[in-house]
Amino acid sequence: MADAAPTTGPDPWFQTLFADRMGGANYGKGTEIYKFEKIKRAKRAALTAHPERKLLDFGIGENDDMAPPVVREALKREVDKLDNRGYADNGIQAYKDAVAAFMKRQFGVELDPVTEVCHAIGSKPAYAMLPAVFVNPGDVTLMTVPGYPVAGTHTRYLGGEVYRLPLLEKNGFYPDFEAIPADIKKRAKLLVINYPNSPTGATATKEFYQRVIEFAHKHRVIIVQDAAHILLTFDGEPLSFLQVDGAKEVGVEVHSMSKGFNMIGWRLGWVCGHPKIVQAYSDVKDNSDSGQFMAIQHAAAEALRHPEIPQQIREKYRRRIKKLVDVLDKVGFQAKMPGGSYFLYAKAPLAAGDRTFGNAEEVSQFLITEQSVCCVPWDDAGAYLRFSATYLAKDEAEEDLLMSETVERLGRLKLRF
């Protein structure tokens, strides 16, 4: 959750009524600024100070293109149908059927579209709701870091605890299960993982997923695998957690229409896996929302029937990531092609000329201020910078111009590692 902007003036009469999870009576009085807000402020300041200098924005975390024409045309057809006007509740069967067919075609995974699939208004609400299925006060959710924090935030809302599993390069950006204290393992209810991983770009192997399944059985922990970037896999064919024997017995996988289909703002995804977990998620969801607009679900079903869509998107971002790797290596980074995702995760420089840095956030602010180059810092498991390949560029020629400008600007800084 982003920090609330500090307020001034007298407290409203209800100031003491805010829940402890929101900060209680101190809600809205904090001075700490969320890192993405810091980035926004620095970008505005750079544009003001140097209006002549184009902002090179590698901090954007969303696809830079619209959904394909076939998907938009499907939406236009469906939006005028009377039958699509109402509440969708837990999803239309046509979308669930399309999901099941997609999972079978893409991954060889057999799913019952009635009992083992339920839609979500984007994957984010699914991560918010799944802790409510299992977490009681005092229970633990195991979360990999760096990563997407939503399941952890809602675990805390419910009175649970979050135990952070650092993703270290020396471990291949996999969590070290052996390092988890016995008491934490005993109280753990959920293990949230994410592969291809955002932001590290690591992809999972069948062997890793087998270890996850063994861990789940041994410690009676439910697995939630975040597959938002799964169709942006570069080091082989995309691998679903549910492809591995026994995975469906211990958890669910959460998918998104956003990354692989250019449907970021459409807000649609799905939860699939063990029917009892899917049912429980559906029950929480049924008491949280009334479903995504049915016309959007029909359009998404059409998208799922076109395997060429994610293939084209994957190749576009593979090309862009390769260019970013070359550019960063030219100015001193030791960048490597990630296994997946449209993010490039690279160790932050220690210095620029005579200027030294204490962490990645200092580097990020310096790059924005000095050369209007924007990227996202991660200091959760070492000092790293995340560069996104979703920058705006209408064609390859424009991409190449942007890459040349990036080399020129970063090269001026005399970065040291």
Side-chain angles (χ1 to χ4, degrees), residues 16-314:
T16 60
L17 303 184
F18 284 110
D20 289 343
R21 71 180 67 91
M22 301 298 293
N26 289 320
Y27 173 72
K29 297 183 177 183
T31 57
E32 184 178 354
I33 304 172
Y34 188 46
K35 73 176 178 182
F36 285 98
E37 177 60 26
K38 289 182 181 179
I39 292 171
K40 289 179 184 177
R41 294 184 185 186
K43 284 162 65 173
R44 289 195 296 267
L47 289 169
T48 300
H50 297 280
E52 79 292 349
R53 195 167 68 190
K54 178 182 177 182
L55 181 71
L56 306 185
D57 198 343
F58 300 107
I60 304 169
E62 57 185 57
N63 298 47
D64 59 297
D65 207 350
M66 292 191 295
V70 67
V71 181
R72 304 200 308 269
E73 289 301 322
L75 178 64
K76 291 172 187 177
R77 291 194 305 271
E78 297 295 334
V79 80
D80 286 330
K81 294 181 179 179
L82 182 66
D83 287 347
N84 290 334
R85 75 193 185 284
Y87 297 124
D89 295 324
N90 277 334
I92 61 173
Q93 195 57 48
Y95 179 61
K96 296 178 185 179
D97 290 343
V99 165
F102 166 81
M103 293 294 292
K104 174 64 175 175
R105 184 187 72 237
Q106 178 70 57
F107 304 112
V109 172
E110 296 273 4
L111 292 171
D112 183 329
V114 175
T115 63
E116 296 179 337
V117 177
C118 184
H119 92 296
I121 305 179
S123 58
K124 184 175 185 178
Y127 305 128
M129 294 175 194
L130 281 164
V133 174
F134 292 102
V135 173
N136 292 317
D139 290 339
V140 173
T141 293
L142 304 171
M143 297 275 299
T144 54
V145 292
Y148 199 51
V150 173
T153 299
H154 282 263
T155 292
R156 294 188 185 96
Y157 283 175
L158 296 164
E161 300 174 23
V162 175
Y163 186 83
R164 293 153 58 93
L165 303 175
L167 299 179
L168 303 177
E169 195 165 358
K170 67 179 182 180
N171 296 331
F173 298 117
Y174 294 144
D176 182 359
F177 296 134
E178 298 301 316
I180 303 172
D183 173 63
I184 296 296
K185 291 177 182 176
K186 185 177 181 180
R187 292 190 293 126
K189 284 281 192 73
L190 295 176
L191 167 59
V192 181
I193 55 176
N194 163 222
Y195 291 95
N197 183 260
S198 171
T200 71
T203 50
T205 62
K206 286 187 177 180
E207 292 73 23
F208 169 70
Y209 280 149
Q210 287 167 347
R211 294 202 306 273
V212 169
I213 293 166
E214 291 169 6
F215 180 87
H217 281 298
K218 182 177 181 179
H219 300 287
R220 301 177 70 84
V221 173
I222 300 299
I223 307 303
V224 176
Q225 148 63 4
D226 172 0
H229 288 261
I230 195 166
L231 295 176
L232 302 178
T233 297
F234 307 133
D235 61 356
E237 287 300 309
L239 175 67
S240 167
F241 176 58
L242 299 178
Q243 283 178 259
V244 182
D245 289 344
K248 195 190 292 185
E249 279 65 62
V250 299
V252 291
E253 189 165 65
V254 183
H255 286 254
S256 169
M257 298 298 302
S258 295
K259 275 68 174 179
F261 294 91
N262 281 347
M263 296 176 70
I264 285 281
W266 296 56
R267 309 315 306 136
L268 195 61
W270 70 87
V271 176
C272 60
H274 196 292
K276 199 73 171 182
I277 301 173
V278 172
Q279 178 186 353
Y281 158 74
S282 301
D283 286 342
V284 173
K285 181 184 177 303
D286 206 25
N287 287 280
S288 302
D289 66 57
S290 296
Q292 182 55 281
F293 182 31
M294 284 187 266
I296 289 178
Q297 294 188 56
H298 281 294
E302 181 66 24
L304 289 168
R305 290 189 280 268
H306 288 268
E308 74 278 5
I309 294 174
Q311 290 170 3
Q312 291 166 0
I313 294 170
R314 178 168 63 245

